């Protein structure tokens, strides 16, 4: 018998679920929701796929790489459908049933069951709008139903939900809206997530109050385009500002409707959220990035000093072909205004190289944009057509070799900028939130700013994040659990990718605990950029 059989299951033990996530923060938030829903049904998460009674692949279709990873992982699970009897490598007889396997996320939404022909061992397919029905779908599969699909969109205009997180977490993702109405020519999101719908400000505040009462101290507000939050929701509570100054045009909420700056101010001023230390949001679209939102970074102390604002290209002609509708000059002017008002702001963006018809000169305009803005970091991609989008009908005329060369040049150029910006932080003291034990316990001791890697740390290395979204590693010589703690760290070194530092004091450690023991992050998620 094979030695890699899953271990036998104790009939009295709870069933286990393994969710492999490929994609963005939205997919990670969806996984948290699925874990919580299945937890309510008695299932516990496991990072060992061979132990799972339920395996879910939560796939993203925005990037070609993420799709391939999700489908490849699905193919690897076929063996688990067959190896469910005999003895494992410990000589224990296996009596468990084969796991239920499901494909979800945006990949499931687009596939709609076509993959059953290639993967008959797959039990069911579901889309993002079907997540709340996951317990019923699993029950159907447990009852013997096979090859069913749940990918219909919720047709109602209202969007109401409640955030679910698995276990005690210091940080949480909170969906405030879903869908997108922009229809950029290269983007599949409107077809996988549907049209824009927003929760009400009142509901989001109640949701956050519940999370904060459970110990959450950092929240990331999620939406395909949070700048459009509130569109269609009447401003019945009279939140301010009642109208947004969008230079480009009224593409988001109009006067008399709720809007995103209203939500930021409401969170800042809600007494129930006093213990919320840090607020983030993603993602934004330059087309309706308002002056009022810029002012939130100045007036709201909870709002983290970081902005991710995807620009996609430095060329106006390419932006037009992408269906982005914003102009690069306006984007630059807004970023300069933001940096003038908030000098410590950390900026990041998304960029696509090799879009159909992009010339070398237009690519160099994107390089110039990096010089102009001085991003902390970028997420750059070589264009790949997504089936069903308008751009997929265009001739993909930039050779792969050219795309690859441009991508590498762009990334290398950014590394020089990032290193300069990170080294400028050496000697400063920053407040950080501890996220996890560092993936490697080696730490670069580089106080001279040049960087010396692979020095084994004398003590435990933790990974934390600054308000500007810069990752920082520091060494601690105690056995304390710092997960979720807000601490002061002095920056002693920097590379192009992260900071390193020394713990200044741990006076705020007691503040974070308050009887809450935070869970280590469930790690079967992979943000594929």
């Amino acid at each position: 018998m094979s030695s890699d059989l899953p271990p036998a299951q104790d009939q009295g033990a709870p069933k286990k679920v393994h969710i492999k996530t490929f994609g963005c923060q939205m997919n990670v938030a969806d996984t948290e929701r699925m874990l919580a829903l299945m937890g309510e049904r008695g299932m516990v998460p496991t990072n060992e796929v061979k132990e799972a009674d339920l395996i879910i692949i939560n796939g993203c279709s925005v990037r070609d790489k993420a799709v391939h990873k999700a489908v490849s992982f699905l193919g690897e699970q076929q063996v688990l459908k067959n190896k469910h009897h005999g003895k494992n490598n410990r000589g224990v007889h296996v009596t468990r049933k084969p796991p239920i396997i499901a494909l979800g996320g945006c990949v499931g939404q687009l596939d709609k069951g076509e993959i059953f022909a290639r993967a008959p061992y797959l039990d069911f397919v579901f889309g993002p709008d079907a997540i709340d029905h996951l317990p019923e779908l699993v029950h159907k599969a447990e009852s013997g139903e096979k090859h069913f699909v749940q990918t219909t969109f919720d047709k109602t205009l209202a969007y109401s939900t409640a955030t679910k997180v698995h276990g005690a977490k210091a940080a949480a993702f909170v969906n405030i809206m879903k869908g997108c109405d922009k229809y950029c020519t290269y983007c599949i999101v409107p077809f996988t997530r549907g049209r824009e719908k927003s929760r009400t400000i009142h509901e989001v505040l109640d949701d956050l109050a519940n999370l904060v009462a459970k110990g959450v101290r950092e929240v990331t507000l999620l939406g395909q385009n949070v700048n459009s939050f509130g569109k269609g929701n009447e401003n019945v509570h009279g939140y301010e500002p009642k109208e947004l100054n969008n230079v480009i045009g009224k593409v988001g909420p109009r006067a008399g409707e709720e809007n995103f700056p209203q939500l930021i101010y409401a969170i800042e001023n809600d007494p129930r959220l006093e213990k919320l230390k840090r607020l983030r949001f993603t993602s934004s679209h330059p087309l309706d990035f308002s002056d009022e939102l810029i002012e939130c970074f100045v007036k709201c102390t909870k709002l983290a000093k970081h902005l991710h604002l995807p620009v996609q290209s430095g060329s106006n002609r390419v932006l037009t072909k992408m269906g982005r509708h914003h102009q690069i000059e306006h984007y630059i002017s807004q970023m300069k205004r933001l940096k003038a008002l908030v000098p410590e702001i950390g900026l990041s963006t998304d960029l696509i190289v090799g879009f159909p018809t992009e010339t070398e000169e237009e690519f160099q305009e994107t390089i110039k944009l990096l010089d102009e803005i001085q991003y902390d970091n970028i997420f750059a991609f070589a264009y790949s057509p997504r089936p069903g989008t308008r751009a997929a009908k265009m001739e993909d005329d930039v050779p792969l070799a050219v795309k690859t060369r441009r991508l590498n040049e762009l990334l290398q150029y950014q590394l020089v900028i990032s290193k300069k910006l990170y080294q400028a932080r050496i000697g400063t003291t920053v407040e950080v939130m501890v996220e996890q034990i560092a993936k490697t316990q080696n730490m670069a001791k580089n106080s001279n700013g040049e960087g010396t890697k692979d020095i084994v740390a004398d003590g435990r290395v933790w990974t934390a994040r600054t308000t500007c979204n810069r990752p920082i590693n520091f060494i601690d010589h105690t056995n304390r659990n710092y997960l979720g703690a807000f601490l002061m760290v002095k920056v002693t070194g920097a590379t192009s990718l992260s900071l390193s530092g020394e713990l200044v004091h741990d006076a705020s450690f007691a503040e974070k605990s308050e009887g809450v023991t935070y869970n280590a992050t469930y790690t079967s998620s992979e943000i594929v950029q």
Side-chain angles (χ1 to χ4, degrees):
M1 294 293 179
S2 173
S3 62
D4 61 352
L5 290 169
Q9 180 178 319
D10 180 349
Q11 297 304 310
K15 290 186 176 181
K16 297 180 180 181
V17 54
H18 178 93
I19 306 179
K20 186 67 174 178
T21 313
F22 302 97
C24 63
Q25 291 93 335
M26 188 73 74
N27 291 83
V28 176
D30 288 346
T31 289
E32 274 287 313
R33 188 169 190 83
M34 286 187 260
L35 286 172
L37 287 168
M38 299 316 299
E40 292 171 358
R41 202 168 178 264
M43 280 193 167
V44 296
T46 176
N47 283 317
E48 297 297 328
V49 67
K50 292 179 183 179
E51 296 180 355
D53 302 278
L54 170 65
I55 301 169
I56 300 173
I57 298 95
N58 182 13
C60 173
S61 58
V62 173
R63 309 291 177 200
D64 193 49
K65 182 179 179 181
V67 174
H68 286 308
K69 285 199 169 193
V71 174
S72 176
F73 182 80
L74 171 62
E76 295 170 3
Q77 309 318 308
Q78 181 176 4
V79 66
L80 297 180
K81 278 291 193 179
N82 300 322
K83 295 182 178 181
H84 60 277
H85 58 82
K87 292 183 179 181
N88 63 17
N89 56 3
R90 295 189 297 275
V92 179
H93 186 73
V94 176
T95 58
R96 63 188 297 152
K97 293 181 179 179
I100 292 169
I101 303 177
L103 178 64
C106 297
V107 173
Q109 184 67 41
L110 285 181
D111 183 85
K112 292 181 171 59
E114 293 180 7
I115 200 169
F116 288 137
R118 288 185 292 150
Y121 51 90
L122 180 67
D123 291 288
F124 66 93
V125 171
F126 66 104
D129 261 20
I131 288 175
D132 284 346
H133 299 289
L134 182 60
E136 300 100 279
L137 299 178
V138 172
H139 179 70
K140 285 177 63 175
E142 289 175 334
S143 301
E145 291 193 47
K146 300 291 182 184
H147 294 180
F148 55 91
V149 178
Q150 180 66 44
T151 55
T152 55
F153 282 121
D154 177 8
K155 300 297 184 181
T156 61
L157 296 177
Y159 175 37
S160 178
T161 188
T163 301
K164 291 181 178 290
V165 295
H166 179 78
K169 298 289 176 64
F173 292 119
V174 175
N175 287 323
I176 61 170
M177 62 176 298
K178 63 180 178 178
C180 185
D181 291 345
K182 292 294 186 289
Y183 287 91
C184 301
T185 61
Y186 56 83
C187 187
I188 199 68
V189 166
F191 306 100
T192 60
R193 297 274 179 175
R195 302 299 299 271
E196 288 177 353
K197 300 178 185 179
S198 297
R199 302 169 68 184
T200 66
I201 292 176
H202 184 75
E203 181 184 285
V204 174
L205 293 175
D206 286 347
D207 198 9
L208 294 182
N210 180 54
L211 292 173
V212 170
K214 294 178 179 178
V216 170
R217 294 295 176 261
E218 177 178 298
V219 164
T220 301
L221 305 177
L222 295 181
Q224 268 69 42
N225 174 26
V226 293
N227 295 345
S228 289
F229 171 83
K231 185 167 64 176
N233 289 349
E234 185 181 355
N235 185 13
V236 294
H237 296 284
Y239 295 111
E240 295 285 350
K242 294 182 180 178
E243 190 170 5
L244 301 181
N245 178 28
N246 294 325
V247 176
I248 295 177
K250 297 296 181 184
V251 295
R254 299 180 180 274
E257 296 180 335
E258 294 184 342
N259 59 54
F260 191 48
Q262 291 174 7
L263 176 60
I264 300 295
Y265 286 123
I267 293 172
E268 178 78 9
N269 297 318
D270 193 316
R272 297 173 297 172
L273 307 182
E274 180 182 357
K275 291 183 179 179
L276 180 67
K277 293 272 290 182
R278 192 179 285 173
L279 181 69
R280 301 186 186 277
F281 62 83
T282 194
S283 188
S284 291
H285 193 297
L287 190 58
D288 46 4
F289 185 76
S290 64
D291 292 341
E292 288 75 15
L293 184 51
I294 291 177
E295 292 169 4
C296 286
F297 284 97
V298 180
K299 299 177 181 179
C300 298
T301 59
K302 296 184 187 298
L303 188 59
K305 301 302 186 284
H306 171 251
L307 172 67
H308 181 73
L309 188 62
V311 65
Q312 305 300 359
S313 174
S315 162
N316 280 329
R317 191 194 69 83
V318 173
L319 288 174
T320 299
K321 199 166 184 67
M322 289 178 170
R324 295 288 287 175
H325 302 297
H326 62 89
Q327 296 291 300
I328 202 65
E329 295 81 8
H330 180 250
Y331 180 96
I332 291 172
S333 68
Q334 284 190 311
M335 294 304 94
K336 287 186 173 180
R337 179 168 184 257
L338 176 58
K339 292 176 78 171
L341 292 172
V342 189
E344 69 272 32
I345 195 79
L347 299 176
S348 58
T349 196
D350 292 344
L351 292 163
I352 298 173
V353 301
F355 193 77
T357 74
E358 182 190 61
T359 66
E360 189 64 28
E361 292 75 17
E362 288 165 338
F363 168 68
Q364 290 302 321
E365 289 183 57
T366 300
I367 293 285
K368 292 177 183 176
L369 180 66
L370 300 189
D371 278 328
E372 190 84 25
I373 302 298
Q374 296 286 295
Y375 295 105
D376 273 56
N377 64 297
I378 63 172
F379 302 96
F381 316 91
Y383 171 75
S384 61
R386 312 311 303 136
T389 62
R390 286 181 289 160
K393 299 177 182 179
M394 304 176 187
E395 182 184 358
D396 189 11
D397 58 351
V398 181
L400 178 59
V402 174
K403 291 179 184 177
T404 302
R405 190 262 303 164
R406 289 178 185 175
L407 178 60
N408 289 335
E409 182 179 336
L410 189 70
L411 291 173
Q412 290 302 313
Y413 200 89
Q414 176 59 39
L415 284 176
V416 175
I417 295 173
S418 297
K419 186 174 183 179
K420 179 189 68 175
L421 293 175
Y422 278 39
Q423 287 180 355
R425 308 303 300 171
I426 294 176
T428 63
T429 299
V430 293
E431 185 182 49
V432 303
M433 192 192 85
V434 182
E435 295 184 339
Q436 62 185 6
I437 297 174
K439 293 180 180 178
T440 173
Q441 288 298 291
N442 296 340
M443 183 166 165
K445 293 185 178 180
N446 47 10
S447 58
N448 61 1
E450 296 301 321
T452 303
K453 295 184 178 180
D454 298 330
I455 297 177
V456 178
D458 179 18
R460 179 181 286 176
V461 180
W462 292 91
T463 296
R465 196 166 296 273
T466 70
T467 182
C468 304
N469 207 41
R470 298 180 177 107
I472 182 168
N473 295 319
F474 68 91
I475 302 173
D476 175 61
H477 300 278
T478 72
N479 292 320
R480 280 179 166 174
N481 176 12
Y482 283 111
L483 283 175
F486 282 84
L487 304 171
M488 302 304 294
V489 175
K490 182 178 180 180
V491 181
T492 58
T495 68
S496 299
L497 301 174
S498 66
L499 304 171
S500 55
E502 298 174 349
L503 188 60
V504 175
H505 63 78
D506 57 8
S508 59
F509 178 75
E511 174 191 345
K512 82 97 186 175
S513 57
E514 297 178 340
V516 178
T517 300
Y518 294 115
N519 292 8
T521 304
Y522 178 71
T523 57
S524 293
S525 295
E526 183 175 348
I527 297 182
V528 182
Q529 301 290 358

